[in-house]
């Protein structure tokens, strides 16, 4: 049986950040990846990362601070997110951004998205990010990666410390042992129908998009050893996907954060479109036949951002996913909603924008506390049928600020760490765009630092 300092389960952003951090600290590392490639949900993601006070923001003239980021996160999380984890994120976020830059991860632009008071969604190309970290790992002789090697179970030693992983490789069950700890970085369970039906039955009709290996293995392994879980009751999908969306094809558009409205099959608005897309998804699911459309005009169209994963409306048009019409009558016909209702909906919305007061749903901004809506009056008009996708389960095993997995009494389970989407407690009852990738990188590295300083023995 081979012995290592640290064993990492999963090669997404959390696992790869941990592997590089640990490798550079000279630890002897094994990373087990279930699939035949790295990346998990990370490489399918839109690549937004929530950081504040960066050089990119400064260059763009955006005033932001860690305090403002944490205040937004807390508000978005319904004030029930674990403040110790939020504070730890705050302590490490800027340094983690710089660490990623120093490891050749390219940040290309900034946008305001769900939950942000200012543009602070720092966009990476997630493939490029994983490949950069992998390149670094390959330079480190002390880091070994096994592909097609799913971890199956964890075992404790005689002192009750988790120190052994049972994993499969080449058709056999093998064992590996770790002296400083085992870090679960195996992502969420967006691809497990069994766990989704258990913990999020409300998302039965949602599309499933996520890493093929993300089946909740890490939650099960930790649960077996007494891990507590957090935030499961707050799971929501993400609104804004075309019903045909699947996997790697980009069929997502968040025109509502640039000023579109959402209407149901009756031609009526049903929600304040500036709130979290997770909550928009919940509202959309309550509509007749769960059908809804984003509707916008040329002014909003012109705010699209080419090559942006969420705001490239031209790409949606090119892919023939948008309805386009010269007037509202034609648009209503395209999407089969009553013309007079759609016209009345838009006229009432426009009046609200002009009066600075949305009488129906209280919309004041484009997203969260950012931006001003505009009247929808400039032809042509567009409609994008949109639905909800379960992408990231962002609820799971409970951890402390050292990324140690804790039991229902908040006590660390010796030897066991977790980081990334497999963990719960950080998001609380809501979700800020960019906080999943952010927490993966931040807490992946924190887990390593904590395992090193714990200095445990087998
Ligand atoms: C379409 C989409 C868009 C998204 N957009 C954003 C965004 O813009 N911003 C944001 O912050 N978040 C976004 N997310 C969420 C974000 O991508 C994930 O939460 C984050 O990447 C999780 O990182 P991770 O390292 O924890 O897990 P993953 O990246 O999912 O990596 C987990 C890895 O563990 C492996 N694994 C699983 N089980 C085992 C096992 N038993 N043994 C060994 N390996 C195992 C998996 O195969 C996988 O490679 C998006 C997600 C999706 C799907």
């Amino acid at each position: 049986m081979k012995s290592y300092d640290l064993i990492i389960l999963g090669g997404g952003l959390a696992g790869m950040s941990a592997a590089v951090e640990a490798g550079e600290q000279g630890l002897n590392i094994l990373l087990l990846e279930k699939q035949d490639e790295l990346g998990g949900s990370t490489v399918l993601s839109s690549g937004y990362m929530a950081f504040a006070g960066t050089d990119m923001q400064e260059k763009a003239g955006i005033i932001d601070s860690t305090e403002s980021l944490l205040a937004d996160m807390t508000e978005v999380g319904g004030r029930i997110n674990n403040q110790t984890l939020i504070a730890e994120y705050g302590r490490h976020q800027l340094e983690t951004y710089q660490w990623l830059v120093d490891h050749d991860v390219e940040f290309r632009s900034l946008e305001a998205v769900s939950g942000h008071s200012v543009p602070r969604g720092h966009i990476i190309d997630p493939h490029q990010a994983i490949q950069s970290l992998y390149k670094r790992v390959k330079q480190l002789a002390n880091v070994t990666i096994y592909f097609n090697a799913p971890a199956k179970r964890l075992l404790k030693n005689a002192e009750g410390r988790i120190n052994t992983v049972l994993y499969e490789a080449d058709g056999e069950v093998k064992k590996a042992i770790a002296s400083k700890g085992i870090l679960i970085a195996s992502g969420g369970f967006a691809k497990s129908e069994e766990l989704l039906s258990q913990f999020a039955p409300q998302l039965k009709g949602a599309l499933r998009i996520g890493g093929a290996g993300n089946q909740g293995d890490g939650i099960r392994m930790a649960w077996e050893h007494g891990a507590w879980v957090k935030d499961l009751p707050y799971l929501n999908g993400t609104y804004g996907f075309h019903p045909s969306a699947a996997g790697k094809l980009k069929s997502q558009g968040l025109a509502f954060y640039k000023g579109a409205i959402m209407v149901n099959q009756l031609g009526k608005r049903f929600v304040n479109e500036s709130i979290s897309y997770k909550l928009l998804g919940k509202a959309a699911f309550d509509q007749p036949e769960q059908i809804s459309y984003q509707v916008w005009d040329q002014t909003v169209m012109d705010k699209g951002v080419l090559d942006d994963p969420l705001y490239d409306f031209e790409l949606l048009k090119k892919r023939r996913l948008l309805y386009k019409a010269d007037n509202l009558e034609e648009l209503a016909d395209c999407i089969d909603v009553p013309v007079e209702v759609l016209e009345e909906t838009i006229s009432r919305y426009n009046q609200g924008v002009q009066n600075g007061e949305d009488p129906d749903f209280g919309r004041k901004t484009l997203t969260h506390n950012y931006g001003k809506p505009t009247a929808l009056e400039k032809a042509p008009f567009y409609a994008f049928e949109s639905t909800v996708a379960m992408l990231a389960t962002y609820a799971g095993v409970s951890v402390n600020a050292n990324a140690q997995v804790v039991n229902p009494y908040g006590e660390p389970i010796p030897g066991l760490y977790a980081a990334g989407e497999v963990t719960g407690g950080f998001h609380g009852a809501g979700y800020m765009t960019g906080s999943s990738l952010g927490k993966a990188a931040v807490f992946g590295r924190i887990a390593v630092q904590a395992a090193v300083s714990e200095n445990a023995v087998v």
Side-chain angles (χ1 to χ4, degrees), residues 284-356:
F285 258 8
D286 289 339
Q287 301 313 302
E289 295 173 64
Q290 298 189 330
I291 293 176
S292 62
Y293 301 88
Q294 298 179 51
V295 171
W296 66 89
D297 71 345
Q298 190 58 39
T299 303
V300 173
M301 191 71 181
D302 292 340
K303 292 187 198 160
V305 182
L306 285 184
D307 293 331
D308 184 275
L310 303 177
Y311 296 133
D312 191 345
F313 311 141
E314 287 299 333
L315 180 67
L316 299 179
K317 193 168 89 184
K318 218 181 285 166
R319 296 198 49 226
R320 299 178 184 279
L321 299 174
L322 291 190
Y323 295 99
K324 180 181 174 190
D326 288 335
N327 53 53
L328 290 178
E329 199 180 337
E330 266 179 37
L331 193 74
D333 193 41
C334 291
I335 61 177
D336 198 22
V337 302
V339 180
E340 57 296 347
V341 181
L342 185 66
E343 283 175 344
E344 166 61 17
T345 297
I346 291 184
S347 149
R348 200 171 154 77
Y349 177 76
N350 288 348
Q351 253 167 30
V353 170
Q354 264 134 31
N355 299 339

Side-chain angles (χ1 to χ4, degrees), residues 49-54 57 64 69 89 92-94 96-98 100 107 110 116 119-122 434 437-438 441-442:
M49 299 190 76
F51 295 125
T54 63
Q57 285 181 312
D64 199 7
L69 168 67
Y89 186 86
H92 292 267
Q93 60 92 15
L94 199 49
T96 302
Y97 163 79
Q98 196 52 53
L100 290 167
F107 287 87
L110 278 171
H116 297 225
R120 67 161 80 91
H122 293 66
L437 289 171
V442 165

Side-chain angles (χ1 to χ4, degrees), residues 125-146:
D125 169 347
H127 287 275
Q128 191 275 336
I130 290 292
Q131 283 312 313
S132 292
L133 297 177
Y134 185 37
K135 194 170 154 202
R136 179 68 184 123
V137 158
K138 284 196 284 192
Q139 294 165 346
L140 298 164
N142 48 328
V143 182
T144 303
I145 298 185
Y146 290 161

Side-chain angles (χ1 to χ4, degrees), residues 111-180:
E111 288 288 337
V113 207
S114 185
H116 297 225
S117 291
V118 294
R120 67 161 80 91
H122 293 66
I123 309 172
I124 55 169
D125 169 347
H127 287 275
Q128 191 275 336
I130 290 292
Q131 283 312 313
S132 292
L133 297 177
Y134 185 37
K135 194 170 154 202
R136 179 68 184 123
V137 158
K138 284 196 284 192
Q139 294 165 346
L140 298 164
N142 48 328
V143 182
T144 303
I145 298 185
Y146 290 161
F147 291 92
N148 295 311
K152 291 296 188 185
R153 304 283 277 264
L154 304 176
L155 304 176
K156 287 177 176 157
N157 65 9
E159 287 79 48
R161 182 181 173 84
I162 305 274
N163 76 334
T164 304
V165 183
L166 298 184
Y167 67 98
E168 266 176 22
D170 308 320
E172 283 175 37
V173 175
K174 302 188 176 182
K175 273 187 189 180
I177 198 161
S179 59
K180 292 190 188 302

Side-chain angles (χ1 to χ4, degrees), residues 8-16 31-35 37-50 130 146 149-152 167 185-188 190 209-218 221 241 247 250 252 277-278 309-310 390-394 419-423 427 431-441:
I8 300 168
L9 314 182
L13 186 60
M16 289 304 287
L31 186 149
L32 297 172
E33 169 52 54
K34 184 178 181 178
Q35 302 298 114
E37 58 182 2
L38 298 168
S41 285
T42 300
V43 293
L44 299 179
S45 79
S46 304
Y48 279 79
M49 299 190 76
I130 290 292
Y146 290 161
K152 291 296 188 185
Y167 67 98
S186 55
I209 303 176
N214 291 28
Q215 290 164 337
D217 302 356
M221 285 186 268
F241 284 86
K250 294 289 175 202
Q252 191 181 13
Y277 44 38
K278 305 282 181 192
L310 303 177
M390 173 37 95
L391 308 178
T393 43
Y394 64 88
E421 196 178 310
V422 70
T423 61
H427 304 289
Y431 179 76
M432 169 195 271
T433 305
S435 56
S436 283
L437 289 171
K439 86 171 177 182

